[in-house]
Amino acid sequence: AYQTTSGTYTDMFTTPGGCDSIVTTQLYVLPQLNETVFPVICEGESYFAGGAMQAAAGNYVDTFTASGGCDSIVLTKLTVQPARHQTVNAAICAGDFYFAGGANQSTAGTYFDTLLTVNGCDSFLTTILTVNPLPAGPVITQLGNSLSVPAVYVSYQWYKDGVPLANANLNVTQAAGEGDYYVRVSDANGCSAFSDTLTVVFTGINPVLKTEMNLLPNPVTDELKIIFSNIISGSLNVEVYNALGEKAASILNPSFHDDVMKFDMAALSSGIYFVKIRSESFSLTGRVVKK
């Protein structure tokens, strides 16, 4: 009979001479080899299964011949991880930076980054960057001991001698003693600007405007020029603070006599800095952006 099971089988035949002929068959049934694999590829890649290169997720069957001559069946369950596409809308103020396109950006535009997900597949990030202009710095008006700026901004913070005044968050404040006053204002985009400094004395209640200055170039890369509106003589102290109020650099010139002073900012990192200048007769504060 036809056998499908491994074992020993005996057949008896009759030879032409009339004698018995006995045939013993030792039958081996080799098992069929079945295997299931679970490969994972990224979108855009391909994997050989089902007799061809496959780029779509699914189940694919391949039949091969094993070393014993029997069928070997491989079931491939292919998973395709999709690429991640994300768009980010970001906004900064003029003079600030935003990391996109592999570098710090300060110019409005569209930037592209290719990253890797936790599965090792590509993640495509598109950044649409908007750069909002800084608001115009206001001019302080003094009436008696009342200081004010136009009520056209979203937020205000008054300073006296470089120190924020508590509860001075309106467009009007009261001068609390003689000193240098200025105000930081912010617009609806969260961008800030500073007013010029007003030196207040109470001899006749009239304000004394201190010497004016310009900071050039602004933004600055290496050397900053501090340009005064008149010749300055005497001891001059320059201090530079970062946006957190931390002193980043300083220099003291005990015998200054000029209308231009140079200050090296090459060693400072990129960001917004406040330059405070003091002499025996005045104090000045300005804002500069370091590239």
Side-chain angles (χ1 to χ4, degrees), residues 65-253:
T65 300
S67 58
C70 299
D71 286 343
S72 173
I73 298 176
V74 177
L75 172 61
T76 301
K77 295 188 174 183
L78 181 62
T79 299
V80 179
Q81 294 286 355
R84 184 180 180 187
H85 299 267
Q86 184 179 6
T87 299
V88 173
N89 291 291
I92 59 174
C93 300
D96 292 340
F97 300 91
Y98 188 90
F99 190 85
N104 284 324
Q105 308 295 343
S106 59
T107 305
T110 301
Y111 300 92
F112 303 95
D113 290 280
T114 301
L115 312 173
L116 289 180
T117 66
V118 293
N119 297 315
C121 297
D122 286 340
S123 173
F124 301 100
L125 176 64
T126 301
T127 301
I128 302 174
L129 181 62
T130 300
V131 179
N132 295 312
L134 300 180
V139 176
I140 300 176
T141 300
Q142 180 179 11
L143 182 60
N145 66 344
S146 177
L147 308 178
S148 65
V149 293
V152 295
Y153 303 96
V154 173
S155 65
Y156 307 82
Q157 176 60 61
W158 289 87
Y159 293 78
K160 177 179 180 293
D161 297 329
V163 179
L165 292 174
N167 302 317
N169 306 116
L170 301 175
N171 70 304
V172 179
T173 192
Q174 300 298 311
E178 296 183 345
D180 294 329
Y181 289 83
Y182 62 90
V183 60
R184 184 186 69 207
V185 296
S186 299
D187 60 15
N189 295 318
C191 298
S192 299
F194 287 82
S195 69
D196 290 333
T197 301
L198 179 70
T199 299
V200 176
V201 297
F202 291 127
T203 55
I205 310 298
N206 292 320
V208 177
L209 293 175
K210 71 174 189 174
T211 301
E212 297 181 353
M213 72 170 180
N214 285 322
L215 302 177
L216 297 174
N218 195 356
V220 62
T221 301
D222 297 313
E223 185 179 77
L224 176 69
K225 290 184 179 180
I226 305 171
I227 303 174
F228 301 102
S229 58
N230 53 277
I231 297 292
I232 305 299
S233 298
S235 178
L236 199 65
N237 184 32
V238 180
E239 297 176 329
V240 178
Y241 296 84
N242 62 23
L244 299 177
E246 301 168 337
K247 184 186 291 187
S250 64
I251 187 173
L252 176 63
N253 190 330

Side-chain angles (χ1 to χ4, degrees), residues 25-67:
T25 301
Q26 186 68 47
L27 179 63
Y28 298 94
V29 179
L30 298 176
Q32 188 179 60
L33 299 179
N34 297 317
E35 183 181 4
T36 302
V37 294
F38 302 88
V40 179
I41 62 174
C42 300
E43 181 180 336
E45 298 178 345
S46 58
Y47 185 89
F48 188 85
M53 300 300 294
Q54 308 295 341
N59 296 330
Y60 300 92
V61 177
D62 289 281
T63 301
F64 304 98
T65 300
S67 58

